[in-house]
Amino acid sequence: MRRHFVNIILVIMCMMMSGLAEVSAQVERPKLVVGLVVDQMRWDYLYYYYDDYCQGGLRRIVDEGYSFENNLINYIPTVTAIGHASVYTGTTPAMHGICGNDFRIDGQKVYCCFDPAVRSVGSASKEGQMSPRLMLSTTIGDELKIATDFKARVFGVAFKDRAAILPAGHSADGAYWWDTSAGHFVTSTFYMDKLPQWVEEFNNTHQFTPEEYIGDKEVSVTNTFQMAEALIDNEQLGRDDITDLLTVSISSTDVIGHAFGTRGPENKSVYMRLDQDLKHFLDKLDREIGRDNYLLFLTADHGAAHNYNLMQSYRIPAGGWEGWKTVKTVNEYLRQACSVSSNLLLDVNSCRYYLDHDKIHAEGLKLDDVKQTLIDYLRKNPDFEYVVDFEKVSGYSMPQRLREMICNGYNPHRSGDVVVVMRPQVFIAKNSPDYKGTSHGAWNPYDSHIPFVLFGWKVKHGSTMTETHITDIAPTICSMLHIQMPNACIGEAREMK
């Protein structure tokens, strides 16, 4: 009898020990992950404005976070839609298929997020007819959903539709972007059939007209953070043991940069606004989620070149190329050179030339011959360092980094036929002595060197000068969460050393 009693006690103890083992083996994850992308934020803005940042915003992230100081974009062109997709998929246009803000699929022009199969929710305009369907790979959010049996909550917020939709991924619970015609946040039927009551209430108190937006472009910075905070509250993100993801993108930094350049009071002002709003946001996360319960990462979709007139005033070689004007002149040349009456060039987009394959075939021409004719013509432009046939890039004599960036940016169905690489500090822009803005899209460090800073949960202060890439962000976050990296990921998980 006594032996039987002892055996029962041993069984109970084993069961208790097993239960304790299960508890101790539970995967550690933060309650909330926040991805913050600042549109057109050059890496050096972390330090150029450092002395002017407040203690609790961007300076706090630098002082307390871990910075990958040599983080580079590894494809071209360096533009908004591609950058946002690449951050969250861990891959490049060659694999995720988002080849620009606008691009062509087998000759047909598309906008990266336009989806005629959905309708706007929150307005009656086409600005809401958007979805991530043209993106071919999964994102951090999709993989987090899969890892938690789709119990994790995933949302995206931005003024630009592409900056809200692409980061959130295919299985997101919602993405909200600004409809300029309606003057408030909307979504699409890809996610839901009706705006939640809290979004309608938010819109009622945060609506403004296009004229008001143009007069105060910085207001969208504050509005985006306020929308993100309202979403955290009303969707109860980070309030249970299942990790949630919120993607936030700040868009007006790009708008102001394009209009006023990388220097001057306008650019500084928007970063001071960003800094103050970020402080308020971090204070809220500290207070309501807990300083050790959230993981935030800061990055950008691309950088920007300094204004060419400013550079020229200091004897630095620079210039602007009005690429959008070349379609007519190129078609005139090709018609004459190829002895045809048809226009053989469809479009020029982000330094990529899209030839009309159907017309070339109909005229009885060989595509390779037309491409070579085009290349020979473009090589006469002194602003072009290289003119490259995408399909033959391996045969060109050029720096290996540049060759790899061209390959990573090339999708055979979506990227066109020929790409030009401009000489340093020459970018697509209006060519005028009065021009004071900027642009981006090139391989050069001013466009491709972007921040990547981790902050919060399990992050120690420090930095590394080891070269990393935009495609390393997603696998690094996924590794920290102990989930699979996105399904087309080519990046590497990086350690904080």
Side-chain angles (χ1 to χ4, degrees):
M1 184 71 178
R2 182 178 178 183
R3 182 178 297 173
H4 179 68
F5 178 74
V6 170
N7 288 339
I8 292 174
I9 296 296
L10 289 172
V11 170
I12 293 172
M13 289 179 66
C14 287
M15 293 174 64
M16 291 176 65
M17 292 296 291
S18 176
L20 288 171
E22 289 181 8
V23 171
S24 64
Q26 184 176 356
V27 176
E28 276 193 282
R29 293 185 181 128
K31 291 182 178 295
L32 177 65
V33 178
V34 178
L36 177 59
V37 176
V38 180
D39 204 319
Q40 203 185 113
M41 185 176 185
R42 294 165 51 107
W43 164 82
D44 58 358
Y45 287 168
L46 289 175
Y47 304 102
Y48 182 69
Y49 296 123
Y50 178 86
D51 292 342
D52 297 303
Y53 292 144
C54 68
Q55 294 294 331
L58 286 165
R59 184 187 291 196
R60 179 185 175 192
I61 287 181
V62 172
D63 290 348
E64 299 180 21
Y66 190 91
S67 181
F68 296 86
E69 294 282 272
N70 196 21
N71 190 56
L72 303 171
I73 293 173
N74 54 348
Y75 55 78
I76 55 172
T78 47
V79 298
T80 296
I82 302 178
H84 282 84
S86 298
V87 166
Y88 287 90
T89 63
T91 192
T92 68
M95 300 301 294
H96 62 56
I98 299 299
C99 295
N101 299 331
D102 300 278
F103 51 95
R104 289 178 180 268
I105 300 179
D106 295 329
Q108 299 301 309
K109 191 169 185 178
V110 298
Y111 174 65
C112 60
C113 290
F114 181 68
D115 186 350
V118 303
R119 67 178 189 277
S120 178
V121 175
S123 77
S125 79
K126 287 187 176 181
E127 292 185 54
Q129 285 187 268
M130 305 290 168
S131 84
R133 284 195 173 114
L134 292 180
M135 185 166 62
L136 304 176
S137 56
T138 61
T139 62
I140 299 171
D142 292 324
E143 296 300 329
L144 181 60
K145 282 278 194 179
I146 294 168
T148 60
D149 295 325
F150 296 91
K151 295 175 183 176
R153 304 273 283 161
V154 177
F155 291 89
V157 174
F159 253 57
K160 292 182 181 180
D161 51 66
R162 54 189 179 269
I165 293 168
L166 299 174
H170 299 276
S171 60
D173 298 279
Y176 299 102
W177 57 94
W178 193 263
D179 185 322
T180 54
S181 62
H184 59 234
F185 282 100
V186 299
T187 187
S188 80
T189 51
F190 181 84
Y191 305 99
M192 60 193 73
D193 294 323
K194 187 178 185 299
L195 285 180
Q197 181 64 32
W198 71 264
V199 176
E200 293 184 354
E201 292 172 359
F202 182 91
N203 283 339
N204 289 337
T205 56
H206 293 77
Q207 187 166 359
F208 54 91
T209 66
E211 291 75 21
E212 290 172 321
Y213 170 64
I214 292 171
D216 183 8
K217 295 182 178 68
E218 292 181 16
V219 71
S220 75
V221 178
T222 302
N223 234 26
T224 302
F225 275 113
Q226 289 175 339
M227 179 63 171
E229 292 175 7
L231 196 154
I232 289 172
D233 290 340
N234 288 278
E235 299 293 348
Q236 292 292 289
L237 299 189
R239 308 304 168 94
D240 57 28
D241 293 332
I242 300 174
T243 303
D244 298 318
L245 172 66
L246 174 61
T247 74
V248 181
S249 182
I250 304 302
S251 303
S252 61
T253 43
D254 182 70
V255 175
I256 290 173
H258 276 292
F260 299 104
T262 60
R263 294 294 185 262
E266 296 87 358
N267 198 63
K268 179 177 180 180
S269 180
V270 73
Y271 275 89
M272 296 305 101
R273 172 77 74 100
L274 167 65
D275 183 44
Q276 291 291 332
D277 289 342
L278 178 58
K279 178 186 183 303
H280 187 275
F281 184 69
L282 293 177
D283 288 345
K284 178 183 178 64
L285 294 179
D286 287 347
R287 185 173 60 251
E288 299 181 13
I289 307 298
R291 171 67 174 81
D292 297 323
N293 292 326
Y294 67 89
L295 171 65
L296 181 143
F297 66 89
L298 167 71
T299 189
D301 52 350
H302 55 74
H306 294 309
N307 176 268
Y308 60 77
N309 285 316
L310 174 64
M311 295 295 98
Q312 289 173 358
S313 71
Y314 289 94
R315 302 181 300 279
I316 297 174
W321 176 58
E322 297 178 337
W324 62 91
K325 292 184 177 180
T326 66
V327 175
K328 181 179 178 181
T329 55
V330 169
N331 268 321
E332 289 173 353
Y333 175 80
L334 290 177
R335 286 199 305 270
Q336 182 178 3
C338 299
S339 301
V340 297
S341 59
S342 300
N343 288 329
L344 303 182
L345 181 67
L346 288 170
D347 196 7
V348 179
N349 181 293
S350 295
C351 296
R352 300 166 301 182
Y353 286 74
Y354 288 81
L355 290 167
D356 191 328
H357 294 199
D358 291 339
K359 284 186 179 178
I360 290 171
H361 178 73
E363 293 283 2
L365 302 172
K366 293 182 179 180
L367 178 61
D368 283 346
D369 292 342
V370 176
K371 283 196 286 188
Q372 190 59 51
T373 301
L374 173 61
I375 289 169
D376 292 341
Y377 173 74
L378 295 176
R379 280 178 175 163
K380 299 175 183 178
N381 189 326
D383 285 334
F384 296 162
E385 293 274 19
Y386 300 98
V387 184
V388 178
D389 179 342
F390 269 123
E391 293 187 339
K392 299 178 181 179
V393 64
S394 62
Y396 286 80
S397 178
M398 63 175 62
Q400 178 58 31
R401 181 191 296 275
L402 181 54
R403 182 183 293 108
E404 182 178 340
M405 293 176 77
I406 292 172
C407 290
N408 284 341
Y410 175 59
N411 182 295
H413 296 285
R414 301 184 176 196
S415 296
D417 301 281
V418 172
V419 62
V420 300
V421 179
M422 290 179 285
R423 62 182 174 87
Q425 203 59 54
V426 175
F427 56 89
I428 300 173
K430 180 181 178 182
N431 198 349
S432 166
D434 299 324
Y435 179 72
K436 58 182 179 179
T438 186
S439 193
H440 51 84
W443 70 271
N444 309 75
Y446 46 75
D447 283 353
S448 64
H449 191 187
I450 57 172
F452 174 30
V453 186
L454 293 168
F455 176 84
W457 179 82
K458 300 291 186 182
V459 176
K460 61 181 181 180
H461 174 57
S463 65
T464 179
M465 290 303 299
T466 300
E467 181 177 319
T468 59
H469 301 114
I470 189 172
T471 50
D472 296 334
I473 296 174
T476 297
I477 300 302
C478 289
S479 176
M480 294 178 72
L481 300 180
H482 300 287
I483 64 175
Q484 183 61 276
M485 63 185 69
N487 61 14
C489 182
I490 64 171
E492 299 179 36
R494 300 292 183 163
E495 289 185 276
M496 293 175 282
K497 297 180 180 179

